[in-house]
Amino acid sequence: MSAANNNKMIIFIGDGLGDRPVASLGGKTPLEAQETPNLDHLAANGLSGMMNPISPGRRVGSDTAHMAILGYDPFKYYKGRGPFEAKGVGLDLKPGDVAFRCNFSTVEGRKVIDRRAGRIKSGTDQLAAAVNAKAGLIDGVQCIFKESVEHRAALLLRGEGLDYRVTEVDPHHENADYPDCQPLPEAANDPGAIKTAAVVTKWVQLAYEALRDHPVNVERVAEGLPPANIALPRGVGTAVDLEPFSHKYGVSGAMIVEVDLVRGLGDYLAMDVIDVPGATGGQDTDEIAIARGVVEALQTHDFVLANIKAPDLGGHDGDAVKKMAAIAKVDNAIGHLLENLDFNNVVIMVTGDHCTPVGFMDHTGDAIPAVFYGCGVRPDEVETYGERAAMRGGLGQFTGEDIMCLLTNFSGVQDKFGA
Ligand code: ZN
Ligand code: ZN
């Protein structure tokens, strides 16, 4: 594909946007109940449909959904979330590396007292440095540990013959003992998995020794705070070779996203991951700052993916009113784009990465309403943006894999297949 003109492309994701009918909303979905004049404008002048990130009914995480939406088959390329986490905190991954997400936690003996070490806010850089000094090399395997925000961190293992088929060390609840890392049953006799598990188990012990009497923790205990005296790995994965976005599509790409894992994917795909002050990832996020960031990024990039996290939060909380407020924010952001971009030269697609219905409080495999609007788009007769409306859209059902093909077609940058 080649960028033969100056037309630009946007994918705008409301995280967890789609829903199911809610009794307290009179059987409407939050999208249908909330006034969304700007989204409705896109629908009335655009092409709607229902998007399945992978395939109809398939439940996905934000990470696998975004991979699919960008045209990378998660069944082929997704080998656990650890690598995205590691990329997200700025670690440089090489194919074959094994990576984990970690929490700084508080233990007494083997018992986990606080999985998040009181949501420790400062000093984790010093703690990570102490762990790396003590446990940077175990049995010839390089162990690189890096702090992220609050109690979060990532661990990367690099060495010969590692295998990611191992268990988690984080027990996922408090007052439980943390286990040693073990090979998964299917890899019980695999030398790589046995070796990896042994290195992780040793690393956890050495990390504890580096952290238990660390001045940062001495001070925390003196202040009555739980010490961050261990780091517990979970969410293992192995780094795979992903073709950079710009090679795959022949266009330059940027991401403005609020989910760390998706930021990690952007880094992985060698996209420019842009920080927008005010994008908090919470209900209080500054959606206009995000929209301004998109407008600015389009001046130097052919393609921008933006994600507002807030709708997913209301979905997980089972709070329809909170979700509607988040949807209003998505609509505000779209309003800013409509005012500040010339859609004769820009095509936008607005959708969710999955549904997070308030009645289910987690992701479902329901199709997500989607609309394309702007240059090259042939409108259908849909008038509003919502689940029922989009089901009547001209695109019908399509998958994540189709999205970049549709966008590059509308924007006119796609090479012809055949003569
Ligand atoms: Zn999501
Ligand atoms: Zn979610």
Side-chain angles (χ1 to χ4, degrees):
M1 297 181 197
S2 63
N5 58 38
N6 284 327
N7 291 345
K8 309 277 183 162
M9 298 169 275
I10 304 169
I11 296 179
F12 204 101
I13 306 276
D15 209 286
L17 187 68
D19 214 295
R20 292 172 175 172
V22 178
S24 66
L25 302 177
K28 292 183 174 176
T29 69
L31 260 177
E32 291 165 349
Q34 174 62 41
E35 299 245 320
T36 53
N38 299 302
L39 288 167
D40 291 347
H41 178 84
L42 302 191
N45 298 280
L47 177 60
S48 294
M50 297 299 286
M51 198 275 287
N52 296 290
I54 295 179
S55 55
R58 173 71 64 184
R59 295 180 64 210
V60 290
S62 293
D63 44 8
T64 45
H66 280 80
M67 278 185 99
I69 285 167
L70 289 171
Y72 295 82
D73 180 355
F75 285 114
K76 199 157 148 199
Y77 296 116
Y78 187 78
K79 306 273 184 212
R81 65 192 290 177
F84 300 104
E85 201 79 11
K87 277 278 190 188
V89 304
L91 290 173
D92 186 27
L93 267 80
K94 295 186 175 28
D97 289 350
V98 171
F100 298 81
R101 324 166 67 192
C102 292
N103 274 4
F104 282 103
S105 306
T106 307
V107 291
E108 281 174 22
R110 291 194 79 102
K111 188 189 273 191
V112 177
I113 304 300
D114 185 336
R115 280 186 68 236
R116 301 181 181 86
R119 292 195 179 266
I120 181 168
K121 298 237 171 0
S122 61
T124 52
D125 52 341
Q126 297 166 55
L127 296 175
V131 171
N132 284 327
K134 179 124 188 141
L137 189 68
I138 299 174
D139 299 345
V141 174
Q142 222 185 322
C143 305
I144 306 162
F145 181 56
K146 188 155 191 306
E147 75 287 355
S148 176
V149 287
E150 294 190 337
H151 54 278
R152 301 181 190 91
L155 168 67
L156 190 156
L157 307 184
R158 177 171 296 156
E160 289 294 306
L162 299 175
D163 193 295
Y164 76 110
R165 292 171 296 167
V166 298
T167 59
E168 309 203 321
V169 178
D170 183 343
H172 288 268
H173 354 242
E174 268 111 25
N175 295 316
D177 285 1
Y178 70 85
D180 283 340
C181 186
Q182 308 272 3
L184 287 176
E186 79 234 38
N189 299 313
D190 182 278
I194 292 167
K195 174 178 175 178
T196 306
V199 168
V200 172
T201 295
K202 277 189 199 168
W203 182 85
V204 172
Q205 177 58 30
L206 289 171
Y208 173 71
E209 289 170 18
L211 295 175
R212 66 182 163 192
D213 300 320
H214 192 281
V216 168
N217 282 325
V218 171
E219 200 175 310
R220 285 181 69 79
V221 171
E223 289 170 10
L225 296 168
N229 60 11
I230 203 162
L232 299 176
R234 65 192 158 107
V236 63
T238 190
V240 295
D241 216 356
L242 280 176
E243 186 182 4
F245 182 85
S246 60
H247 292 199
K248 189 170 166 75
Y249 298 110
V251 296
S252 56
M255 256 194 199
I256 298 175
V257 294
E258 296 191 304
V259 181
D260 279 346
L261 285 174
V262 182
R263 294 173 64 87
L265 174 64
D267 284 329
Y268 221 127
L269 299 179
M271 298 172 76
D272 282 328
V273 179
I274 297 170
D275 277 314
V276 170
T280 62
Q283 189 77 5
D284 63 346
T285 198
D286 184 347
E287 72 276 15
I288 299 300
I290 292 171
R292 257 191 250 118
V294 171
V295 172
E296 203 171 300
L298 278 189
Q299 288 169 10
T300 45
H301 298 83
D302 304 307
F303 170 90
V304 179
L305 181 141
N307 174 308
I308 292 186
K309 172 73 176 163
D312 189 52
L313 304 174
H316 283 289
D317 288 350
D319 186 336
V321 173
K322 183 176 173 185
K323 187 161 182 182
M324 285 170 64
I327 288 168
K329 287 195 167 228
V330 173
D331 193 67
N332 284 342
I334 300 302
H336 184 88
L337 297 182
L338 283 169
E339 276 168 30
N340 290 280
L341 291 172
D342 176 2
F343 280 91
N344 291 307
N345 305 110
V346 177
V347 56
I348 186 171
M349 178 217 190
V350 183
T351 188
D353 52 344
H354 46 77
C355 295
T356 311
V358 295
F360 190 75
M361 296 171 70
D362 202 349
H363 307 179
T364 63
D366 303 321
I368 308 133
V371 64
F372 288 82
Y373 170 88
C375 67
V377 175
R378 195 171 57 192
D380 57 21
E381 293 184 343
V382 172
E383 295 288 340
T384 58
Y385 187 85
E387 287 80 355
R388 287 172 179 85
M391 285 179 206
R392 299 195 306 272
L395 266 178
Q397 299 245 349
F398 62 102
T399 65
E401 199 186 353
D402 299 319
I403 293 172
M404 286 306 297
C405 192
L406 287 158
L407 280 174
T408 52
N409 172 49
F410 294 139
S411 68
V413 300
Q414 188 183 131
D415 284 343
K416 187 161 54 178
F417 176 50

